[in-house]
Amino acid sequence: MWYRTLRPALFALEPERAHRLALQAFRLAARRGPRIRGAAPVKCLGLRFPNRVGLAAGFDKNAIALEGLGSLGFGFIEVGTVTPRAQPGQPPPRLFRLPAAMALINRLGFPNDGAEAVAARLRHRRYRGVVGVNIGKNASTPLERGVDDYVSCLRTVRQVADYVVVNVSSPNTAGLRSLQSPQLLEPLLSALLQERLAGPRGRPLPLLLKISPDLCVEELRDIARLLKRLPLDGVVATNTTLSREDVGVAASTRDGGLSGRPLRPLAVHTVSTLRSFLGRGFPIIGVGGIDSVGAARAMRAAGADLIQIYTGLIYRGPSLVSQCVRDGLESATGT
Ligand SMILES: Cc1cc2nc3c(=O)[nH]c(=O)nc-3n(C[C@H](O)[C@H](O)[C@H](O)COP(=O)(O)O)c2cc1C
C-alpha cells in the first residue's frame, strides 16, 4: 500500500537516479529478512531455498544491499552481472520507463565494480538466503577471448557464490548473444565446468546458463541438448528481449532490452518449450514479466521450479514479493 504513495515521487526522478536511491534505502534498512507466512522451503540445485521467489540479476549488481532486499522476503538474490574488471557501462541515458506497458527498456551494458569487489562484499554477507552470482565479459574484451573473462569471474567468485549464472543473453554487450550458438557455447561451458571446483559448502558449485527469449524452437532444442549432455545444473529463462510487441511506437525506436509485462508471453513460452526438451527434474528458473500472483503461477505451470522478479518490483512494489511467496507457487506443477 505505502508503495502506491511513494511511487509517483520515485517515478518523477530519472530512472537510474530512482534506482540508486532505492538501493541506498534498502542498504540502510539492512536487517535480517522476515519469515514470510506460508513460505515453503524447497530443495533445488542441491541447495535449500527459503522460498521459490528470487530477485533477478541486475537489480543489485554490486551486492551492496542484500540484507535490506532480503527483508522484502526474497528467498534468493542473484547479484551481477559482474565482469573481471570494473567498467562504467554505456553512456546515459540508458534506462527508460514505459509505464503504460508496465515495462522498462535498458541498455546499461554491465556497469559494475568488478568481480573482486563483489566477491569481497559477499564474503562478509549477513543475508541468509541463497546468493547467485551472474557473470559476463568486459565490453573491451574481444569476443574470441570472452571465455577467459568468464573463467576469470568464476575463479574469483566460486568460493562465495551459492550458484553461478553464465550470462550469454544480454543484448547490450556487442556480440554477447552469439555465444548462445552451440559452436561457441560448448567450449565456453566446458571450460567453466572444469573450473568450478567445489562451492562454499563443499559440494560442486551449481552452474546455470541464462538465455534470451528471442531464440527459436530449434535453437532452444540445441541448447537443451547441450545442457543435458554436459551436463549443466540449470537454466535461467529469460533475459530481456529485443522485440517490441505491445509497447507502442515511441518506445519501439529505443535501443536496448525490453523487460516487464510485454516480455511475459515470450518468457513463459521459452520456459515451457525448454521444459518439454529438458524433461522433468532439470532445474529451470523462470523470469520475465512476473508482476502478479497469476503471472508467477503461470510461470510455475510452464515448468519453472523457481521464479525471479525485476521489473514487477518497480511497478508493483515490495508487496508483490510476499504475495507471490504466500499465494503463488505451491499448487503449480513444477518439479
Ligand atoms: C535495468 C535492468 C538491468 C538488468 N541487468 C541485468 C544484468 O546485469 N544481468 C542479467 O543477466 N540480467 C539483467 N537484467 C535482466 C533481468 O535479470 C531479467 O532477466 C529481465 O529483466 C526479465 O525480468 P523482468 O521482466 O521481471 O524484469 C536487467 C534488467 C533490467 C530491467
Side-chain angles (χ1 to χ4, degrees), residues 56-58 61 81 106 134 167 210 238-239 259-260 263 287-289 310-311:
K61 288 173 184 287
T81 297
N106 91 81
N134 181 303
N167 181 6
K210 183 163 179 178
T238 67
N239 215 311
S259 60
L263 168 62
V287 50
Y310 189 137
T311 306

Side-chain angles (χ1 to χ4, degrees), residues 56-59 61 78 80-81 95 104-106 108 110 134 165 167 169-170 210 236 238-240 257-261 263 287-290 308-312:
F59 195 98
K61 288 173 184 287
E78 195 170 305
T81 297
L95 178 58
L104 296 171
I105 289 180
N106 91 81
L108 296 179
F110 301 160
N134 181 303
V165 176
N167 181 6
S169 47
S170 286
K210 183 163 179 178
V236 183
T238 67
N239 215 311
T240 55
L258 174 73
S259 60
R261 186 170 286 178
L263 168 62
V287 50
I290 297 175
Q308 289 177 329
I309 295 172
Y310 189 137
T311 306

